[in-house]
Amino acid sequence: MRHFDYVKADSAEAAVAEGGADVHFIAGGTNLLDLMKLQIETPTKLVDISRLDLARTEDTPEGGLSIGALVTNSDLANDARVRARFPVLARALLAGASPQLRNKATTGGNLLQRTRCYYFYDTARACNKREPGSGCAAQGGYNRIMAVLGTSEDCIATHPSDMAVAMRALDAVVVTLQPGGDRRRIAIGDFHRLPGDTPQIEHVLTPGELITHVELPPAPAGKQIYRKVRDRASYAFALVSVAGIVAVEDGEIASAALAFGGIGTVPWRNPAVEAALVGQAPSTAVFEAAADALLAGAKGQGSNDFKIPLARRVLIASLRDLTGDAA
């Protein structure tokens, strides 16, 4: 690990004042410290924000929730309001990592965690995300966990977060503080960036910009589900996951919000999937049409080809659970 400066911030304003291109904020550190040990991340300064007053979850006047960036995954998953009004989020959080990690990992850090691509972590192999212009060893390599949607010629790495997938389905808003003192509100769908030809740029935050809160709108109508398919029952990243919210009225699907993990380079949501469902009576044919919309353009790379039929089956099974349809 390289030498770096360490600063404790006593306010959000003081934290962003320390910010810069080679400066990292640290709270739980569950991802960052591993990356620093491997010298994948080499900040010149760490700004400790763990003591800031950002560890509360509060009701908003509109009926939603304001979640501080330092609220731990465990506390958020076990918050009675989250369990009652946003169970898809509670289930996604509890499906991630281990109890020990959930006790340290924070809401803001979870949104910013980096891919678990094998080649990103192997500094002896080419990775455009780690070293722009070096190539992508995952393409043509062992790519079982990689993405099949949102990929590019430069990167096929999967986004790892469970929480972010649920936040995507819930239309969360990320609230930040910029170094100049301005506040910014970023829709979760605009927060993460597709890799394109700059896979090293993973989100829209500017240097020194600090996530302070994540806001959820009022609880949506309908049933909520989070289904995660993985290699083992716990402590494993998703091969395919679905965060689903569906309301059925008078025998038809009145509203739907569906986001996916394990298959995209970002937490994946495609409006065409929901459009294929709304206004339709639940049926196998309708669910198949939604799966067709989801997987249009999906591209396997060899050892991850199985994710395409798996995603179809997981989506259809989830829709049956959400609509009560046994077709």
Side-chain angles (χ1 to χ4, degrees), residues 16-66:
V16 298
E18 296 281 353
D22 296 321
V23 177
H24 281 42
F25 301 120
I26 187 168
T30 56
N31 187 202
L32 177 59
L33 291 178
D34 286 341
L35 295 173
M36 289 178 64
K37 290 174 184 177
L38 294 170
Q39 296 194 27
I40 295 169
E41 295 282 6
T42 56
T44 58
K45 183 191 296 183
L46 286 185
V47 180
D48 186 343
I49 61 170
S50 62
R51 294 164 180 80
L52 303 188
D53 184 22
L54 298 174
R56 291 180 291 176
T57 300
E58 300 175 315
D59 290 292
T60 65
E62 298 77 20
L65 287 180
S66 176

Coordinates of all heavy atoms in Angstrom, one line a residue, residues 16-66:
V16 N -15.7 18.2 1.5 CA -15.6 18.5 0.1 C -14.5 19.5 -0.2 O -13.9 19.5 -1.2 CB -17.0 19.0 -0.5 CG1 -18.0 17.9 -0.4 CG2 -17.4 20.3 0.2
A17 N -14.2 20.3 0.8 CA -13.1 21.3 0.7 C -11.8 20.5 0.6 O -10.8 21.1 0.0 CB -13.1 22.2 1.9
E18 N -11.7 19.3 1.1 CA -10.4 18.5 1.0 C -10.4 17.8 -0.3 O -9.3 17.2 -0.7 CB -10.4 17.5 2.1 CG -10.3 18.2 3.5 CD -8.9 18.6 3.8 OE1 -8.0 18.4 3.0 OE2 -8.7 19.3 4.9
G19 N -11.5 17.8 -1.1 CA -11.6 16.9 -2.2 C -10.7 17.3 -3.4 O -10.1 18.3 -3.5
G20 N -10.5 16.3 -4.3 CA -9.7 16.5 -5.5 C -9.7 15.2 -6.3 O -10.3 14.2 -5.9
A21 N -9.0 15.3 -7.4 CA -9.0 14.1 -8.3 C -8.4 12.9 -7.7 O -8.8 11.8 -8.0 CB -8.2 14.5 -9.6
D22 N -7.4 13.0 -6.8 CA -6.7 11.8 -6.2 C -7.1 11.7 -4.7 O -6.4 11.1 -4.0 CB -5.2 11.9 -6.4 CG -4.8 11.9 -7.8 OD1 -5.4 11.1 -8.6 OD2 -3.9 12.7 -8.2
V23 N -8.2 12.3 -4.4 CA -8.7 12.2 -3.0 C -9.9 11.3 -2.9 O -10.8 11.4 -3.8 CB -9.1 13.6 -2.5 CG1 -9.6 13.5 -1.1 CG2 -7.8 14.5 -2.5
H24 N -10.0 10.4 -1.9 CA -11.1 9.5 -1.7 C -11.8 9.8 -0.4 O -11.1 10.0 0.6 CB -10.7 8.1 -1.8 CG -10.5 7.6 -3.2 ND1 -9.9 8.3 -4.2 CD2 -10.8 6.4 -3.8 CE1 -9.8 7.6 -5.3 NE2 -10.4 6.4 -5.1
F25 N -13.1 9.8 -0.3 CA -13.8 9.7 0.9 C -13.9 8.3 1.4 O -14.0 7.4 0.6 CB -15.2 10.3 0.8 CG -15.3 11.7 0.2 CD1 -15.9 12.0 -0.9 CD2 -14.7 12.7 0.9 CE1 -16.0 13.3 -1.4 CE2 -14.8 14.0 0.5 CZ -15.4 14.3 -0.7
I26 N -13.8 8.1 2.7 CA -13.9 6.8 3.3 C -14.8 6.8 4.5 O -14.8 7.7 5.3 CB -12.5 6.2 3.7 CG1 -12.6 4.8 4.1 CG2 -11.8 7.1 4.7 CD1 -11.2 4.1 4.2
A27 N -15.6 5.8 4.6 CA -16.5 5.6 5.8 C -16.4 4.1 6.2 O -15.5 3.8 7.0 CB -18.0 5.9 5.4
G28 N -17.2 3.2 5.7 CA -17.0 1.8 6.0 C -15.7 1.2 5.4 O -15.0 0.4 6.0
G29 N -15.4 1.6 4.2 CA -14.2 1.1 3.5 C -14.2 -0.3 3.1 O -13.1 -0.9 2.8
T30 N -15.4 -0.9 3.0 CA -15.4 -2.4 2.7 C -15.0 -2.7 1.3 O -14.5 -3.8 1.0 CB -16.9 -2.9 2.9 OG1 -17.8 -2.1 2.1 CG2 -17.3 -2.8 4.3
N31 N -15.0 -1.8 0.4 CA -14.5 -2.0 -1.0 C -13.2 -1.3 -1.2 O -12.2 -1.8 -1.7 CB -15.5 -1.6 -2.0 CG -15.2 -1.9 -3.4 OD1 -15.6 -1.3 -4.4 ND2 -14.3 -2.9 -3.6
L32 N -13.1 0.0 -0.7 CA -11.9 0.8 -1.0 C -10.7 0.2 -0.4 O -9.6 0.2 -1.0 CB -12.2 2.2 -0.5 CG -11.0 3.2 -0.6 CD1 -10.6 3.4 -2.0 CD2 -11.4 4.6 0.1
L33 N -10.7 -0.2 0.8 CA -9.5 -0.7 1.5 C -8.9 -1.9 0.7 O -7.7 -2.1 0.6 CB -9.7 -1.1 2.9 CG -10.0 0.1 3.8 CD1 -10.3 -0.3 5.2 CD2 -8.8 1.1 3.8
D34 N -9.8 -2.8 0.2 CA -9.3 -4.0 -0.6 C -8.6 -3.5 -1.8 O -7.5 -4.0 -2.2 CB -10.4 -4.9 -0.9 CG -10.9 -5.7 0.2 OD1 -10.2 -5.8 1.2 OD2 -12.1 -6.2 0.1
L35 N -9.2 -2.5 -2.5 CA -8.6 -2.0 -3.7 C -7.3 -1.2 -3.4 O -6.3 -1.3 -4.3 CB -9.6 -1.0 -4.4 CG -10.9 -1.7 -4.9 CD1 -11.8 -0.6 -5.4 CD2 -10.6 -2.7 -6.0
M36 N -7.2 -0.6 -2.3 CA -5.9 0.1 -2.0 C -4.8 -0.9 -1.7 O -3.6 -0.8 -2.1 CB -6.1 1.0 -0.8 CG -6.9 2.2 -1.1 SD -7.2 3.3 0.3 CE -5.5 3.8 0.7
K37 N -5.1 -2.0 -1.0 CA -4.1 -3.1 -0.7 C -3.6 -3.7 -2.0 O -2.4 -4.0 -2.1 CB -4.8 -4.2 0.1 CG -5.1 -3.7 1.5 CD -5.9 -4.8 2.3 CE -6.3 -4.4 3.7 NZ -7.1 -5.4 4.4
L38 N -4.4 -3.7 -3.0 CA -4.0 -4.3 -4.3 C -3.3 -3.2 -5.2 O -2.9 -3.5 -6.3 CB -5.1 -4.9 -5.0 CG -5.7 -6.2 -4.4 CD1 -7.0 -6.6 -5.0 CD2 -4.7 -7.3 -4.4
Q39 N -3.3 -2.0 -4.7 CA -2.9 -0.8 -5.5 C -3.6 -0.6 -6.8 O -3.1 -0.1 -7.8 CB -1.3 -0.9 -5.8 CG -0.6 -0.9 -4.5 CD 0.9 -0.6 -4.7 OE1 1.3 0.0 -5.6 NE2 1.7 -1.1 -3.7
I40 N -4.9 -1.0 -6.8 CA -5.8 -0.6 -7.8 C -6.3 0.8 -7.6 O -6.4 1.6 -8.6 CB -7.0 -1.6 -7.9 CG1 -6.4 -3.0 -8.3 CG2 -8.0 -1.1 -8.9 CD1 -7.4 -4.1 -8.1
E41 N -6.6 1.2 -6.4 CA -6.9 2.5 -6.0 C -5.6 3.1 -5.2 O -5.2 2.4 -4.3 CB -8.1 2.6 -5.1 CG -9.4 2.2 -5.8 CD -10.0 3.3 -6.7 OE1 -9.3 4.4 -6.9 OE2 -11.1 3.2 -7.2
T42 N -5.1 4.2 -5.7 CA -3.9 4.8 -5.0 C -4.2 6.3 -4.7 O -3.5 7.2 -5.3 CB -2.7 4.6 -6.0 OG1 -3.0 5.2 -7.2 CG2 -2.4 3.2 -6.2
P43 N -5.1 6.6 -3.8 CA -5.4 8.0 -3.5 C -4.2 8.6 -2.8 O -3.4 7.9 -2.1 CB -6.6 7.9 -2.5 CG -6.5 6.5 -1.9 CD -5.9 5.6 -3.0
T44 N -4.0 9.9 -3.0 CA -3.0 10.6 -2.3 C -3.5 11.1 -0.9 O -2.7 11.5 0.0 CB -2.6 11.9 -3.1 OG1 -3.7 12.7 -3.3 CG2 -2.0 11.5 -4.4
K45 N -4.8 11.1 -0.7 CA -5.4 11.5 0.5 C -6.7 10.8 0.8 O -7.5 10.6 -0.2 CB -5.7 13.0 0.5 CG -6.2 13.6 1.9 CD -6.7 15.0 1.7 CE -5.6 16.0 1.4 NZ -6.1 17.4 1.3
L46 N -6.9 10.4 2.0 CA -8.2 9.8 2.4 C -8.9 10.8 3.4 O -8.3 11.3 4.3 CB -8.1 8.5 3.2 CG -7.7 7.2 2.4 CD1 -7.7 6.0 3.3 CD2 -8.7 7.0 1.2
V47 N -10.2 11.1 3.1 CA -10.9 12.0 3.9 C -12.0 11.2 4.7 O -12.9 10.6 4.1 CB -11.6 13.1 3.1 CG1 -12.4 14.0 4.1 CG2 -10.6 13.9 2.3
D48 N -11.8 11.0 6.0 CA -12.7 10.2 6.8 C -14.0 10.9 7.1 O -13.9 12.0 7.8 CB -11.9 9.8 8.1 CG -12.7 8.8 8.9 OD1 -13.9 8.6 8.7 OD2 -12.1 8.2 9.8
I49 N -15.1 10.4 6.5 CA -16.4 11.1 6.7 C -17.2 10.3 7.7 O -18.4 10.6 7.9 CB -17.1 11.3 5.4 CG1 -17.4 9.9 4.8 CG2 -16.3 12.2 4.5 CD1 -18.3 9.9 3.6
S50 N -16.7 9.3 8.4 CA -17.5 8.4 9.2 C -18.1 9.1 10.4 O -19.1 8.6 11.0 CB -16.6 7.2 9.7 OG -15.6 7.7 10.5
R51 N -17.6 10.3 10.8 CA -18.2 11.0 12.0 C -19.2 12.0 11.6 O -19.7 12.7 12.5 CB -17.1 11.6 12.8 CG -16.1 10.5 13.4 CD -14.8 11.1 13.9 NE -13.9 10.1 14.5 CZ -13.2 9.3 13.8 NH1 -13.2 9.3 12.4 NH2 -12.4 8.4 14.4
L52 N -19.5 12.2 10.3 CA -20.5 13.2 9.9 C -21.9 12.8 10.3 O -22.2 11.6 10.5 CB -20.4 13.4 8.4 CG -19.1 13.8 7.8 CD1 -19.2 14.2 6.4 CD2 -18.4 15.0 8.6
D53 N -22.8 13.8 10.5 CA -24.1 13.5 10.9 C -25.0 13.1 9.6 O -25.9 13.9 9.2 CB -24.7 14.8 11.5 CG -26.1 14.6 12.1 OD1 -26.5 13.4 12.3 OD2 -26.8 15.6 12.2
L54 N -24.6 12.0 9.1 CA -25.3 11.5 7.9 C -25.8 10.1 8.0 O -25.9 9.3 7.1 CB -24.4 11.6 6.7 CG -23.9 13.0 6.3 CD1 -22.9 12.9 5.2 CD2 -25.1 13.9 5.8
A55 N -26.0 9.7 9.3 CA -26.4 8.3 9.6 C -27.8 8.1 10.0 O -28.1 7.2 10.8 CB -25.4 7.7 10.6
R56 N -28.7 9.0 9.6 CA -30.1 8.9 10.0 C -31.0 8.7 8.8 O -30.7 9.2 7.7 CB -30.5 10.2 10.7 CG -29.9 10.4 12.1 CD -30.3 11.7 12.7 NE -29.8 12.8 12.0 CZ -30.1 14.1 12.4 NH1 -31.0 14.3 13.3 NH2 -29.6 15.1 11.7
T57 N -32.1 8.0 9.0 CA -33.1 7.8 8.0 C -34.4 8.5 8.5 O -34.8 8.3 9.6 CB -33.5 6.3 7.8 OG1 -32.3 5.6 7.3 CG2 -34.6 6.1 6.8
E58 N -34.9 9.5 7.7 CA -36.0 10.3 8.2 C -37.1 10.3 7.1 O -36.9 10.2 5.9 CB -35.5 11.7 8.4 CG -34.4 11.8 9.4 CD -33.8 13.2 9.6 OE1 -33.5 13.8 8.5 OE2 -33.6 13.7 10.7
D59 N -38.3 10.5 7.6 CA -39.5 10.6 6.7 C -39.4 12.0 6.0 O -39.0 13.0 6.6 CB -40.8 10.5 7.5 CG -41.1 9.1 8.0 OD1 -41.3 8.3 7.2 OD2 -41.0 8.9 9.2
T60 N -39.8 12.0 4.8 CA -39.9 13.3 4.0 C -41.4 13.8 4.1 O -42.3 13.0 4.3 CB -39.5 13.1 2.6 OG1 -40.4 12.2 1.9 CG2 -38.1 12.5 2.5
P61 N -41.6 15.1 3.9 CA -42.9 15.6 3.9 C -43.8 15.0 2.8 O -45.0 14.9 3.0 CB -42.7 17.1 3.6 CG -41.3 17.4 4.0 CD -40.5 16.2 3.7
E62 N -43.2 14.5 1.7 CA -44.0 13.9 0.6 C -44.4 12.5 0.9 O -45.2 11.9 0.2 CB -43.2 13.9 -0.7 CG -42.8 15.3 -1.2 CD -41.6 15.9 -0.4 OE1 -40.9 15.2 0.3 OE2 -41.5 17.2 -0.4
G63 N -43.9 11.9 2.0 CA -44.2 10.5 2.4 C -43.2 9.5 2.0 O -43.4 8.3 2.2
G64 N -42.0 10.0 1.5 CA -40.9 9.1 1.2 C -39.9 9.0 2.4 O -40.3 9.3 3.5
L65 N -38.7 8.7 2.1 CA -37.6 8.6 3.1 C -36.4 9.3 2.6 O -36.1 9.2 1.4 CB -37.3 7.1 3.4 CG -38.3 6.3 4.2 CD1 -37.7 4.8 4.3 CD2 -38.5 6.9 5.5
S66 N -35.7 9.9 3.5 CA -34.4 10.5 3.2 C -33.4 9.7 4.0 O -33.5 9.6 5.2 CB -34.3 12.0 3.7 OG -33.0 12.5 3.5

